[in-house]
């Protein structure tokens, strides 16, 4: 569905919007399924990764982003897998950073490569950065990520601060019995570093070796606990995502809560996801998808088939997701590293 855009944005030929009238102006693009970590909630220990030719080339990623931006997308998040372990990923950031109508280029990373790459990413035009951090205890960090080194990630956080991004946010997935006793230390770390932090409820995606029902920590409980420790001020701020924010009084830190189990954010969903295989997923929790890779490869010099497929996909973007923790099987057996978190 195409909406005519008002005069003020006439430089944009189209604005994608779906069958429910939701404007789609945000894409999350996973540029690799590979990762140097194996977080317990995200990957199995012995992951098999996709063969190279089944993954979008960086040139194909750049072409896709360009097409989406021409359709009114103004925010692009690059994710993975771990986007920064992809060879020459910086080239892609530089290409996307040059797009005139793009307002925000943002990145989600595990932080392991930031010590080396933060400044180049900032120079390429990355505005904001999300860094996953689930524990401040090195042994526990290793247990959760299976291969990650806490010190390396903390050096990455410092490098990101030095590079001067508009905002840095830590992302924490809380799991009962793994890291739910670190809520306060993690928030205090964020305050001390003058960065933001979001707590993400674990989503039933992929195939993990623990029962999600027993490790689930609800954001409502986390918020209640934090309110007893810090003066929190409800904030109407939004980053265009599903997070609800609270400011910690007298600090520079916001605390976000991303609660995929409540349907509260589906009504304002403004995003679609593209996997590293070029699958356009219209909802994180539903199976509806459009294969874009065959179109990219069959029409290397003609964007029209791609544009038509994207416009048509808006008619099948579902109203909302359907996660259910009580099911024995994950609702959607799709690894987050494949879809892009
Ligand atoms: N490797 C990067 C990272 O870890 O930030 C980017 C990709 S990762 C898939 C993106 C985000 O998804 C991370 O913040 C991670 O914690 C989150 N994530 C992965 N699996 C999840 C799950 N089952 N439930 C909730 N969040 C998950
Ligand atoms: Fe890798 Fe990110 Fe998944 Fe952890 S959450 S395994 S860092 S892709």
């Amino acid at each position: 569905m195409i909406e005519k855009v008002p005069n003020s944005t006439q430089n944009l030929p189209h604005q994608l919007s779906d069958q429910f009238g939701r404007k789609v102006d945000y894409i999350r693009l996973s540029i690799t399924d590979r990762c140097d970590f194996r977080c317990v909630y995200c990957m199995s220990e012995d992951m098999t990764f996709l063969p190279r030719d089944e993954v979008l080339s960086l040139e194909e990623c750049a072409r896709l982003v360009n097409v989406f931006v021409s359709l009114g997308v103004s925010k692009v998040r690059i994710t993975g897998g771990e986007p920064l372990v992809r060879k020459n990923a910086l080239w892609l950031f530089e290409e996307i950073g040059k797009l005139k109508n793009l307002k925000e280029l943002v990145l989600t990373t595990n932080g392991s490569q930031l010590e080396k790459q933060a400044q180049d990413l900032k120079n390429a035009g990355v505005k904001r950065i999300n860094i996953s951090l689930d524990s401040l205890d090195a042994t526990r960090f290793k247990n959760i990520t299976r291969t990650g080194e806490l010190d390396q990630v903390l050096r990455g956080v410092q490098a990101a601060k030095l590079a001067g991004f508009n905002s840095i946010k830590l992302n924490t997935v809380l799991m009962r019995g793994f890291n739910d006793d670190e809520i306060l230390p993690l928030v205090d770390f964020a305050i001390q570093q003058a960065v933001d932090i979001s707590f993400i409820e674990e989503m039933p995606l992929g195939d993990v070796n623990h029962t999600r029902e027993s490790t689930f920590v609800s954001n409502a409980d986390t918020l209640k606990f934090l309110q007893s420790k810090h003066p929190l001020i409800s904030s109407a701020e939004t980053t265009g995502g599903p997070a609800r924010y609270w400011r910690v009084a007298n600090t520079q830190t916001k605390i976000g809560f991303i609660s995929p189990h409540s349907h509260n954010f589906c009504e304002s969903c403004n995003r679609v996801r593209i996997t590293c295989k070029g699958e356009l997923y219209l909802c994180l929790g539903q199976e509806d998808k459009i294969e874009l890779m065959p179109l990219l490869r069959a029409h290397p010099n003609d964007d029209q088939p791609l544009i038509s497929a994207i416009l048509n996909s808006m008619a099948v973007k579902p109203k909302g997701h359907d996660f259910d923790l009580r099911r024995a099987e994950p609702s959607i057996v799709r690894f987050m590293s494949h879809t892009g978190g």
Side-chain angles (χ1 to χ4, degrees):
M1 201 184 291
I2 312 176
E3 241 179 38
K4 278 266 173 269
V5 291
N7 288 343
S8 57
T9 50
Q10 228 156 23
N11 53 336
L12 301 177
H14 304 295
Q15 175 59 65
L16 285 177
S17 80
D18 72 5
Q19 55 178 326
F20 304 104
R22 294 172 298 192
K23 186 164 130 182
V24 174
D25 57 7
Y26 176 14
I27 58 171
R28 299 170 77 106
L29 171 64
S30 168
I31 63 167
T32 179
D33 61 332
R34 291 167 198 249
C35 186
D36 48 346
F37 292 3
R38 298 285 183 278
C39 302
V40 290
Y41 47 73
C42 177
M43 290 196 182
S44 62
E45 203 154 8
D46 54 345
M47 286 291 285
T48 309
F49 295 109
L50 293 166
R52 297 263 176 223
D53 63 346
E54 285 182 28
V55 173
L56 293 173
S57 68
L58 291 177
E59 289 76 10
E60 287 167 336
C61 290
R63 187 175 158 206
L64 264 183
V65 172
N66 193 17
V67 164
F68 271 100
V69 170
S70 76
L71 294 174
V73 162
S74 58
K75 176 173 170 184
V76 175
R77 177 174 300 281
I78 301 296
T79 178
E82 175 45 45
L84 301 184
V85 298
R86 175 133 190 203
K87 206 168 156 213
N88 294 332
L90 184 62
W91 174 86
L92 178 65
F93 285 97
E94 287 169 345
E95 287 303 297
I96 300 175
K98 289 177 201 159
L99 295 175
K100 291 256 170 330
N101 289 326
L102 185 71
K103 290 202 192 92
E104 267 207 312
L105 172 57
V106 297
L107 162 69
T108 301
T109 174
N110 66 21
S112 70
Q113 309 302 311
L114 279 179
E115 191 178 12
K116 286 179 272 173
Q117 299 189 25
Q119 192 61 60
D120 287 340
L121 290 163
K122 173 72 175 58
N123 296 346
V126 175
K127 295 274 191 293
R128 297 190 290 115
I129 190 159
N130 288 356
I131 307 172
S132 297
L133 183 67
D134 295 330
S135 176
L136 290 167
D137 176 276
T139 309
R140 201 180 261 190
F141 187 83
K142 177 63 88 32
N143 286 342
I144 295 174
T145 60
R146 294 200 184 100
T147 57
E149 297 294 339
L150 176 66
D151 277 353
Q152 192 181 347
V153 172
L154 294 181
R155 289 197 303 273
V157 173
Q158 294 313 316
K161 284 180 64 182
L162 277 176
F165 291 100
N166 291 1
S167 100
I168 299 174
K169 179 160 71 85
L170 307 176
N171 274 344
T172 302
V173 176
L174 286 175
M175 289 173 294
R176 198 167 301 288
F178 282 81
N179 62 349
D180 58 322
D181 58 345
E182 283 196 67
I183 298 171
L184 196 55
L186 281 160
V187 165
D188 288 343
F189 175 75
I191 292 172
Q192 181 206 344
Q193 297 298 321
V195 300
D196 297 327
I197 182 165
S198 277
F199 292 102
I200 309 175
E201 285 176 352
E202 191 181 0
M203 282 179 259
L205 299 166
D207 163 31
V208 290
N209 55 8
H210 60 267
T211 330
R212 290 227 156 87
E213 210 180 337
S214 64
T215 54
F216 182 70
V217 181
S218 93
N219 272 340
D221 290 346
T222 307
L223 172 61
K224 211 160 142 198
F225 170 72
L226 282 170
Q227 279 172 323
S228 71
K229 303 291 176 192
H230 281 295
L232 301 186
I233 304 155
S234 170
S235 161
E237 287 163 271
T238 164
T239 52
R244 299 280 170 270
Y245 287 100
W246 295 74
R247 284 216 157 263
V248 185
N250 309 317
T251 75
Q252 295 178 52
T253 296
K254 292 196 290 290
I255 306 178
F257 296 93
I258 302 176
S259 313
H261 294 282
S262 56
H263 283 238
N264 59 8
F265 66 80
C266 295
E267 298 85 67
S268 57
C269 178
N270 61 343
R271 69 207 43 213
V272 292
R273 292 179 160 78
I274 305 159
T275 70
C276 58
K277 285 173 78 174
E279 300 152 316
L280 173 63
Y281 276 101
L282 299 151
C283 169
L284 181 62
Q286 301 280 2
E287 282 299 23
D288 311 74
K289 66 168 172 176
I290 317 282
E291 302 278 356
L292 298 180
M293 187 187 274
L295 296 171
L296 279 164
R297 295 196 175 168
H299 307 279
N301 301 311
D302 179 10
D303 286 341
Q304 206 47 54
L306 199 58
I307 291 174
S308 301
I310 294 168
L311 293 176
N312 291 338
S313 75
M314 292 295 111
V316 294
K317 184 167 163 60
K319 195 163 183 197
H321 65 62
D322 182 26
F323 293 141
D324 187 350
L325 277 175
R326 287 154 303 185
R327 283 191 213 156
E329 295 298 318
S331 308
I332 301 293
V333 184
R334 205 161 75 211
F335 286 103
M336 191 75 148
S337 53
H338 174 112
T339 315

